[in-house]
Amino acid sequence: MITLLIYSIKSALVLALLYLPYTLMLRQESFFRMNRITLLTILMLALVLPMVDIPSLATPEKPVVYEMQHRIMLMTQEAEMTTKSLAATTRTISWVGILAILYIIGVILALLIRLWQLFKIDKIIRGGCLWTDKSGKATIYCHIDDVAPFSWMRSIVISEKDYKPYGREILLHEKAHILNLHSMDILFLTLVEAVQWWNPIAYLLGRSLRDVHEYQADDYVLHQGISLHNYQELLVKKALANTSYAFANNFNHSLIKKRIYMMNHLKSNPWLRSKVLYILPATLVVLTVFATPKLNEKVGEIVEKVEKATEKPQPSPQPEQQPESFSTSDVTDMQSAEPKEELAVKEEAADTLSSEDYVNDVYRNEYINLTQPPEFPGGMSALRTFVQLHVARALENDASMAGKRAYVQFRIKQDGTIDDIGLVRGDIEAFHEAIKIVEQMPQWTPARRYGRVADAHFVLPVDFTND
């Protein structure tokens, strides 16, 4: 659900960057067919571009959208893994989870409303019909009731009252909608509006697309020999029709003033069509914003500072510096050392090196470059169950471990195996037990960067409690 929420935010950014220039440069031009294609292209790009990642376009700095995406990911992972401060964890899950759930509910409601409107249109088309007639690809439904003329797919609805005096003009207008497949445009627009139900720009674009549909239909009618004066007079008469139908192409749709203006408007200079090329640089900007950032060069400097901070607290040359990675022999050596002296060194190092700072600086900088983080078999809930099971066994064997904690870092290699187990901070005895837990883990699903498997580090808090 979090992924869908982020996708929706990215899609909204695409709509804003591509639609706003259209309103400034093309909306008042008489290139009706081109404007329609431009708006449909914007809708298509709003659905597709959020899923595109071209690493070669990435910038050294972290784009705002990607920074936000990974902050949400890290917040969610911390909320699932950490048992410390239950109130804070619940609050994190609440805000992120509630936003995602509300978004999904909005999408479902938007689709259900549209389905209901489709059902209503179908009922109106067939209800109260006096007679039907085939006219090319269209089917005409003449109603006894005073309904506003409209068309949907290949059906045209007109009242008997309108058919006799204005039948030719109205039918030509609605046939233009059918010939241009405007109903398919509306279905496509509905999909985007469902994804973007919270975004007002999506509805503004929808209004622009419906206006272009009417301009196209009006232009088609005038090219069939209908008098401009008589047709505009008809539009004014029908402007106060009783109703219009969502989804359908209505004869009296849009502001009559705008339609009359476009009919009287001089044809735009053909050279002005080149303004549509703004989509190319705008799309490039979007792709650059969404591209996975390149590896931050500062990560190496941060790691150096972390290593130096770990070296400084050592009071004498006898205790060895905490190794960056641990093997079975390393654990044996550490267990044979004097516990009090070792513990003092680790606690001083912990004061200098905060686990929160470590995660924020190193762990996040690595994750910001991953298109898919590493995953324990079965997900975070399975990892939590696995750790708690082994913690319970450790407490059965040694009750003195109760209440201790260790933050353990390890690397998931490209084949899913684990190495480079190290202590970020915490109790040294808890760390020894945590090593045993990590070494018993099954193979992980490795991380991916730009579609290729990659090494990735993982920070795991291990609490020796029975909760």
Side-chain angles (χ1 to χ4, degrees), residues 136 316 424:
S316 64
V424 177

Side-chain angles (χ1 to χ4, degrees), residues 277-315:
L277 295 177
Y278 83 87
I279 285 185
L280 298 179
T283 301
L284 183 61
V285 169
V286 170
L287 289 174
T288 302
V289 170
F290 292 163
T292 303
K294 295 178 181 177
L295 185 61
N296 195 329
E297 295 176 357
K298 295 183 180 180
V299 174
E301 297 176 9
I302 294 171
V303 173
E304 258 183 55
K305 292 178 182 178
V306 169
E307 291 175 349
K308 289 179 181 178
T310 311
E311 291 174 1
K312 288 178 183 178
Q314 297 182 3

